[in-house]
Amino acid sequence: MSINSEMKLFYKILRYIGYILILPVSYLVISIILSFITVNDKATNTQKNHTIYLSSNGVHLEIIIQKQDLIPAILEGQIYNDKAQYFSFGWGDKNFYVETPTWGDFTLLNGLEALFFVSPSLLHVTRHSKTKKHWVAIKVNKEQLIKINRYINNTFKLDQRNQKILLAGLGYKKNDDFYEAMGSYTCFNTCNSWVNSALKQSSIKSCLWTPYDFGLLYIHN
């Protein structure tokens, strides 16, 4: 093979590598930019007498609402006791939730499957007796609280009897459970974009769009 032929082959390989890289790089750049564009940031005249919270494990966001601020439809069918005063809601890929109870169980394969394959989702509900220091508090008014309640309630997938579908025995600890959920997890619809959509559709300050946790944490700190 001549030098010219080798150079042509080399540039051809580089071009193909560029085509492969352009999609993830574009996704990364665009998603970071959109994460720092804020919506619903105008002040309202209504008093914000209620508090909801955001919690992150460093990657995954959840919404926490005090029991007294939850609509009866959300609590219906759930098993809890008097110690449960705060309910945390997180949405995500079913296979990832089941196969990755801790980050020590994470593998590249189940991460890629969650991002790039359309798969069923679960709603993770965790019960707490009190607030935690790392939770980020967000003040909301009554209308915003009702909207975010409806958003969460509409995420539960119901059976033919209109009952929540509990996956018995899949909870990580004694204070949490998994329920079948609406929607499919993809790189464009992540656990964090679910939280962002909850805030966005409830007229609460949020990102234009984000697959990450840091955008929401930044604008609410």
Side-chain angles (χ1 to χ4, degrees):
M1 184 181 291
S2 67
I3 294 177
N4 285 339
S5 299
E6 289 177 351
M7 291 301 295
K8 286 180 180 178
L9 178 61
F10 176 71
Y11 287 126
K12 190 174 183 179
I13 293 171
L14 283 182
R15 188 165 64 249
Y16 285 139
I17 292 173
Y19 291 151
I20 293 170
L21 291 178
I22 194 168
L23 288 177
V25 170
S26 299
Y27 174 88
L28 181 64
V29 171
I30 293 170
S31 60
I32 290 174
I33 291 172
L34 296 183
S35 295
F36 288 99
I37 298 176
T38 307
V39 297
N40 298 333
D41 57 347
K42 292 182 180 178
T44 60
N45 295 325
T46 6
Q47 285 190 332
K48 296 182 177 180
N49 297 324
H50 303 272
T51 305
I52 64 172
Y53 302 88
L54 294 181
S55 172
S56 174
N57 63 5
V59 178
H60 169 81
L61 278 173
E62 296 200 347
I63 302 167
I64 302 115
I65 302 178
Q66 194 169 3
K67 178 184 171 184
Q68 66 185 31
D69 285 333
L70 290 171
I71 59 174
I74 289 180
L75 294 173
E76 185 180 351
Q78 293 199 48
I79 301 171
Y80 58 92
N81 55 35
D82 292 338
K83 292 182 180 179
Q85 294 301 311
Y86 295 85
F87 286 70
S88 176
F89 303 92
W91 178 90
D93 177 80
K94 183 175 182 177
N95 292 331
F96 191 86
Y97 263 140
V98 172
E99 296 173 7
T100 318
T102 69
W103 286 111
D105 300 301
F106 174 82
T107 66
L108 182 61
L109 180 60
N110 59 28
L112 291 174
E113 284 179 348
L115 285 173
F116 298 109
F117 291 89
V118 176
S119 55
S121 60
L122 297 178
L123 195 60
H124 185 211
V125 182
T126 307
R127 301 169 291 278
H128 303 275
S129 59
K130 57 184 179 180
T131 60
K132 297 190 177 182
K133 289 182 179 179
H134 70 275
W135 291 359
V136 176
I138 304 174
K139 301 298 289 186
V140 298
N141 59 38
K142 185 67 175 177
E143 183 182 357
Q144 291 169 326
L145 183 65
I146 291 172
K147 285 182 178 179
I148 202 165
N149 265 275
R150 288 174 179 167
Y151 180 92
I152 293 170
N153 189 52
N154 289 337
T155 302
F156 284 100
K157 190 174 184 179
L158 304 179
D159 62 19
Q160 294 179 343
R161 298 175 299 160
N162 288 326
Q163 301 295 313
K164 296 179 180 67
I165 306 170
L166 171 67
L167 276 68
L170 282 186
Y172 298 149
K173 298 180 180 179
K174 292 181 179 180
N175 67 327
D176 71 310
D177 289 301
F178 284 101
Y179 297 85
E180 295 280 359
M182 303 296 291
S184 297
Y185 189 104
T186 68
C187 59
F188 299 104
N189 189 33
T190 70
C191 52
N192 299 316
S193 60
W194 177 84
V195 172
N196 188 66
S197 293
L199 301 184
K200 194 175 181 181
Q201 293 183 29
S202 304
S203 304
I204 302 168
K205 187 160 66 171
S206 50
C207 308
L208 184 58
W209 176 75
T210 183
Y212 314 113
D213 67 337
F214 56 77
L216 286 173
L217 296 177
Y218 174 78
I219 65 178
H220 285 291
N221 268 315

